[in-house]
Amino acid sequence: MSRDHAIRVASPTEQTNPNTRDIDLLPTLDVLQLFNSEDRTVPEAVGRVLPELAEAVDLAVAALRSGGRVHYVGAGTSGRLAVLDAAELIPTFNAPPDWFIAHQAGGPEAYQQAVENAEDDEDAGAREIRAQGSDKDFVFGLAASGRTPYVLSALTAAKEIGATTALLTSNPDPGEVPADVVIAADTGPEPISGSTRMKAGTAQKLVLTSFSTAVMIKLGRVYSNFMVSMLATNAKLRGRTINILQESTGESEQACADALTAAGDDLKTALVHLLSGADVERSAAALAVADGQVRDALRSLEG
């Protein structure tokens, strides 16, 4: 596409916000108060699309349970937020590194700076999904305007290979898109016209964090509200795992430390061991049969 080619996008994210006109004339505190006021509308916008988000979570869980993967696809801020979310799942939930794959328009170079015309490269989005995707996968596109060519082409390719798909956008009317689920969090005009790193980006961060955490919960990587799949790879994390064991079992610090050592620093095994009274070997075996679900493992040991 030539450098002088222009596209006008019909989306609220590109409109002028009447609440922030002449913001450049205001004192610093007033500028920040206006930003804060606009930011407060974002959680409400996300709240309105929770039913659609729940559908996306269930599709992703089904994909992972069938041996597939979750692909995030985005450009600019959307892609960088996707990269961040995917990266954080590994240390937080001990998620396998190939469960969530983030595709950023322009590749790794675009993590820190813009890559010219990357978001308009339709071939790149489709090519990446065809090369790395399968009919077992779930492909989650992120585009504030709902019209990003790189993202839409990736979703089209995903549909062609039989993957399930979703699109996250801040455009309430993105038109016909190749997605099984459209999550349209209408965040309205940005405080600075067209700067979708602001409200639309905040909505994307909220949605992605909720999406991936809910997926981890459904896959048994949370017990109650504890991160029970994390690994104690250093002194700080070992202390955190002992705290989790104490809070969830009511046992003493020493008893929890001993259980963790006996379980080879596997928090789930130590937890099932302490809650059920079964030895470490039976606890680990019950977890294996229960596909890592703590509550299912406990029920099997009670039977």
Side-chain angles (χ1 to χ4, degrees):
M1 183 176 294
S2 65
R3 296 182 62 176
D4 59 354
H5 182 77
I7 298 175
R8 293 184 181 273
V9 177
S11 170
T13 58
E14 298 298 317
Q15 296 171 1
T16 301
N17 191 325
N19 298 327
T20 57
R21 288 188 185 276
D22 296 327
I23 195 172
D24 59 323
L25 301 177
L26 298 179
T28 303
L29 180 57
D30 290 350
V31 169
L32 297 176
Q33 287 174 334
L34 269 179
F35 287 163
N36 183 249
S37 178
E38 290 293 311
D39 285 343
R40 291 178 187 178
T41 68
V42 175
E44 295 180 359
V46 172
R48 291 191 289 269
V49 297
L50 293 182
E52 292 82 3
L53 181 54
E55 291 182 51
V57 168
D58 290 341
L59 288 174
V61 170
L64 291 168
R65 282 179 172 159
S66 71
R69 301 186 294 178
V70 173
H71 297 263
Y72 288 150
V73 183
T77 297
S78 301
R80 295 182 193 102
L81 288 170
V83 169
L84 174 65
D85 193 75
E88 289 180 340
L89 297 178
I90 299 172
T92 305
F93 298 104
N94 191 27
D98 64 344
W99 268 13
F100 282 71
I101 308 298
H103 302 268
Q104 163 81 22
E109 181 185 345
Y111 294 168
Q112 295 184 339
Q113 63 184 23
V115 174
E116 185 176 2
N117 290 332
E119 71 174 56
D120 295 325
D121 191 342
E122 295 184 33
D123 292 338
R127 185 169 58 247
E128 289 178 30
I129 295 302
R130 291 193 187 106
Q132 300 182 45
S134 79
D135 59 357
K136 295 180 179 180
D137 293 348
F138 174 71
V139 179
F140 198 175
L142 297 90
S145 68
R147 307 290 174 81
T148 306
Y150 172 84
V151 175
L152 294 182
S153 69
L155 291 174
T156 298
K159 296 292 287 182
E160 290 171 352
I161 65 174
T164 53
T165 57
L167 173 68
L168 171 59
T169 177
S170 283
N171 184 351
D173 185 20
E176 289 292 324
V177 294
D180 297 305
V181 181
V182 176
I183 305 167
D186 185 2
T187 52
E190 294 289 352
I192 306 302
S193 299
S195 180
T196 53
R197 62 184 289 269
M198 303 190 78
K199 293 197 299 182
T202 299
Q204 289 177 341
K205 179 67 170 70
L206 290 175
V207 167
L208 284 175
T209 302
S210 294
F211 166 79
S212 57
T213 303
V215 170
M216 293 296 105
I217 291 171
K218 293 295 182 180
L219 291 173
R221 293 183 176 253
V222 172
Y223 170 75
S224 184
N225 60 352
F226 298 110
M227 299 181 294
V228 293
S229 289
M230 60 178 289
L231 294 178
T233 56
N234 59 42
K236 174 185 174 182
L237 292 179
R238 185 175 175 82
R240 183 180 294 169
T241 58
I242 291 173
N243 287 339
I244 289 173
L245 286 172
Q246 282 189 269
E247 289 191 43
S248 55
T249 68
E251 297 288 346
S252 69
E253 179 178 348
Q254 187 60 55
C256 291
D258 291 345
L260 192 61
T261 298
D265 287 338
D266 186 292
L267 176 53
K268 275 189 183 180
T269 299
L271 177 62
V272 172
H273 162 58
L274 288 171
L275 289 174
S276 69
D279 61 31
V280 168
E281 289 74 18
R282 286 183 62 211
S283 297
L287 278 166
V289 172
D291 197 25
Q293 297 277 355
V294 171
R295 295 189 190 275
D296 288 348
L298 290 172
R299 279 192 288 270
S300 72
L301 291 169
E302 291 171 358

